[in-house]
Every structure is written in structure tokens, then in C-alpha cells.
């Protein structure tokens, strides 16, 4: 299937999905963090109220160099190429609790500052030079992204919506742990990273923000014609439903 770069209608629809929780079940609500889940276990919305500038959170979520400092579950991430001034393709892999296999994605990402709102959305694509890797399960982002809303000059609300096919039958304990432990901890990590980011950025290319200044983007250009939509049913499905929690080694986000 052909790949399309999101337009204003797609961003508006994404924002509505973040804000409308009808039919969702609240699985966690504590210390300013709320996690909602749908009947589909891989669909979640997370919300965080934070005393930090919306622009700073937006920068943190874009800055791959800084992500390596705070995203302890990440194994690797890199940009593959740019499509337009506000769309690119990238790779991301992360650690799953053992004995589950680690997952990775290749996604097309697009972003849009819109008044007091900042939006970043992605979905999985296939790139001929980045096929599934031997030691990873290639997961599929059906629609994933962030909505950052400025509540004032130094406060914001962050929404994180995930619609992911992990390509496998996961044990129930993994699903429960993800919504009750991993998701809230990850949101708090983003907040803590945002608090520390201004000081870090002052020492690391403070003027370099290609997501804000596209003329700074040095990524190679790639064509939409090189990409196809990553369909979940075209990937191997891994059955890990029988794996025992007692033998699991939990990730840093669960400590």
C-alpha cells in the first residue's frame, strides 16, 4: 500500500483521539499521570500534567542525541532520511523484559506546531534498506504519537497515544505491567528529561534544532516511492503467551 504524509485532517483526528476517552478504561491514575486502555490491549492513551514549557517537551521528544541520555529502554535509534520539512523516516529498537524478544520499528514520523499545540505522529513503513533484523521482532505502529498542549508559559499537558501491534501473543502479565508500571514510569521519565534538557542543550549544539529550523536538516532525501505501508499480517507472529513472569527480567522503566 502507498505511503501518505499526514495532512491537517490527520493531525486533527489524532488530537481528537487523544482528548476523547469515551469507551476507554482508566488503568492508572496517580501523581498527575493517567493511563487509559481500550479493549484492544495494545491501544493506550497516557496523560501527564507537567510544570515545564511545552516547547521544551517538544524538543526533548525530537532530539535523538538527548534521547540516548534518558530513554534507558532504548537499544538504538537513528534517522534514515527526510521526506519533507516536517516528515522523516527513522529506526527505533527497545528492550523487552526477558525472556520476551526485543522489538524494533521503522516508522514515518511527521510533526506540526499548531498554535499552543505541538503534535508528533508516526506509523510503520517498509524501507528496502532496513528489513527486519535477525534478533528482533519487527513490531508495527498503526498510529503512535504525542500531543503537547501549553497550559501556560511554564506548564503543559502531554498526551501519548499508542496503537501498536507487537507482533506476538503476549502474556497477560506483560499487558498489565505495561499499563500499570511501564507507561506511567515512562511519562515521568519524559518529564524529568524535560526539566534537565535546557541545561544539557546549552552544552550540546544549542542552536541545532532541525525540527524547528528545517534548513539545518542534513539527512539525505528519500522518496515516498521507496516506502510502502508496513502491514502487520506480512510479518512473523511470535507466540510468547506462555512465558512465565517469575522468569522475567524487568526493564529499567519498571524498577
Amino acid at each position: 500500500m502507498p505511503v501518505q504524509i499526514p495532512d491537517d485532517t490527520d493531525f486533527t483526528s489524532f488530537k481528537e483521539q487523544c482528548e476523547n476517552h469515551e469507551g476507554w478504561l482508566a488503568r492508572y491514575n496517580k501523581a498527575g499521570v493517567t493511563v487509559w486502555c481500550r479493549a484492544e490491549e495494545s491501544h493506550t492513551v497516557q496523560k501527564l500534567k507537567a510544570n515545564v514549557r511545552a516547547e521544551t517537551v517538544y524538543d526533548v521528544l525530537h532530539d535523538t542525541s538527548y534521547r540516548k541520555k534518558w530513554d534507558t529502554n532504548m537499544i538504538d535509534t537513528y534517522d534514515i532520511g527526510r521526506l519533507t520539512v516536517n516528515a522523516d523516516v527513522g529506526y527505533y529498537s527497545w528492550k523487552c523484559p526477558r525472556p520476551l524478544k526485543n522489538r524494533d520499528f521503522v516508522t514515518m514520523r511527521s510533526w506540526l506546531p499548531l498554535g499552543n499545540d505541538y503534535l508528533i505522529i508516526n506509523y510503520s513503513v517498509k524501507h528496502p534498506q532496513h528489513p527486519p533484523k535477525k534478533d528482533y521482532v519487527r513490531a508495527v505502529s498503526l498510529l503512535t504519537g504525542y500531543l503537547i498542549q501549553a497550559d501556560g508559559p511554564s506548564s503543559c499537558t502531554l498526551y501519548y497515544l499508542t496503537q501498536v501491534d507487537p507482533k506476538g501473543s503476549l502474556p497477560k502479565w506483560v499487558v498489565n505491567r505495561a499499563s500499570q508500571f511501564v507507561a506511567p514510569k515512562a511519562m515521568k521519565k519524559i518529564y524529568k528529561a524535560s526539566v534537565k534538557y535546557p541545561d544539557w542543550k546549552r552544552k550540546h549544539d544549542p542552536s541545532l534544532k532541525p525540527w524547528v529550523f528545517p534548513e539545518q536538516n542534513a539527512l539525505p532525501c528519500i522518496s515516498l516511492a521507496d516506502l510502502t505501508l508496513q502491514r502487520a499480517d506480512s510479518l512473523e507472529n511470535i507466540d510468547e503467551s506462555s512465558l512465565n513472569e517469575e522468569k522475567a527480567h524487568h526493564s529499567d522503566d519498571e524498577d
Side-chain angles (χ1 to χ4, degrees):
M1 294 181 65
V3 172
Q4 295 182 331
I5 296 174
D7 57 20
D8 289 352
T9 302
D10 296 310
F11 281 105
T12 300
S13 173
F14 175 79
K15 179 181 177 181
E16 291 173 351
Q17 290 184 64
C18 288
E19 296 177 322
N20 182 7
H21 309 131
E22 184 177 352
W24 295 67
L25 175 66
R27 297 290 300 274
Y28 181 97
N29 190 353
K30 186 178 179 181
V33 178
T34 307
V35 179
W36 291 272
C37 298
R38 296 203 69 157
E40 304 92 337
E41 294 169 341
S42 56
H43 292 199
T44 65
V45 173
Q46 304 167 45
K47 178 181 178 182
L48 169 70
K49 302 285 285 187
N51 292 321
V52 65
R53 297 174 70 240
E55 296 92 333
T56 301
V57 178
Y58 184 63
D59 290 345
V60 166
L61 295 172
H62 271 288
D63 198 327
T64 53
S65 296
Y66 186 58
R67 191 174 196 111
K68 296 169 185 177
K69 299 289 184 181
W70 64 268
D71 188 352
T72 53
N73 268 5
M74 183 185 74
I75 298 173
D76 192 18
T77 186
Y78 53 84
D79 298 321
I80 295 171
R82 59 184 166 124
L83 294 163
T84 67
V85 294
N86 70 323
D88 62 17
V89 176
Y91 174 86
Y92 179 86
S93 58
W94 85 97
K95 293 178 286 187
C96 290
R98 293 197 299 266
L100 271 66
K101 290 187 176 182
N102 295 328
R103 262 64 176 176
D104 69 355
F105 292 98
V106 172
T107 62
M108 191 200 72
R109 181 181 62 166
S110 187
W111 56 92
L112 182 69
L114 195 62
N116 291 326
D117 297 339
Y118 298 83
L119 300 98
I120 306 171
I121 61 178
N122 74 60
Y123 62 85
S124 286
V125 295
K126 288 194 287 188
H127 188 286
Q129 297 178 12
H130 298 271
K133 296 184 177 183
K134 178 182 177 182
D135 297 327
Y136 293 86
V137 176
R138 179 60 51 89
V140 177
S141 168
L142 305 173
L143 176 64
T144 300
Y146 301 92
L147 166 64
I148 311 151
Q149 296 181 317
D151 298 330
S154 58
S155 62
C156 69
T157 300
L158 169 65
Y159 293 90
Y160 178 35
L161 182 146
T162 58
Q163 296 180 11
V164 175
D165 186 334
K167 289 316 299 171
S169 302
L170 297 177
K172 194 68 177 179
W173 62 264
V174 171
V175 177
N176 291 336
R177 184 167 291 275
S179 62
Q180 297 175 22
F181 295 96
V182 179
K185 198 77 176 257
M187 294 293 276
K188 293 172 185 175
K189 279 195 172 186
I190 293 173
Y191 167 67
K192 291 179 180 179
S194 298
V195 171
K196 296 177 181 179
Y197 182 72
D199 285 342
W200 181 90
K201 188 61 176 173
R202 275 192 285 270
K203 302 171 185 176
H204 300 83
D205 295 318
S207 62
L208 182 64
K209 294 184 179 182
W211 53 92
V212 177
F213 309 109
E215 65 275 9
Q216 297 177 345
N217 196 324
L219 290 174
C221 292
I222 57 178
S223 170
L224 274 179
D226 295 333
L227 306 173
T228 54
L229 191 64
Q230 179 66 75
R231 295 174 58 91
D233 56 11
S234 69
L235 293 168
E236 181 183 6
N237 210 46
I238 307 296
D239 186 359
E240 298 173 305
S241 59
S242 62
L243 296 178
N244 194 317
E245 183 176 11
E246 293 179 359
K247 298 180 180 179
H249 175 79
H250 298 308
S251 66
D252 293 339
D253 272 348
E254 302 170 79
D255 295 338

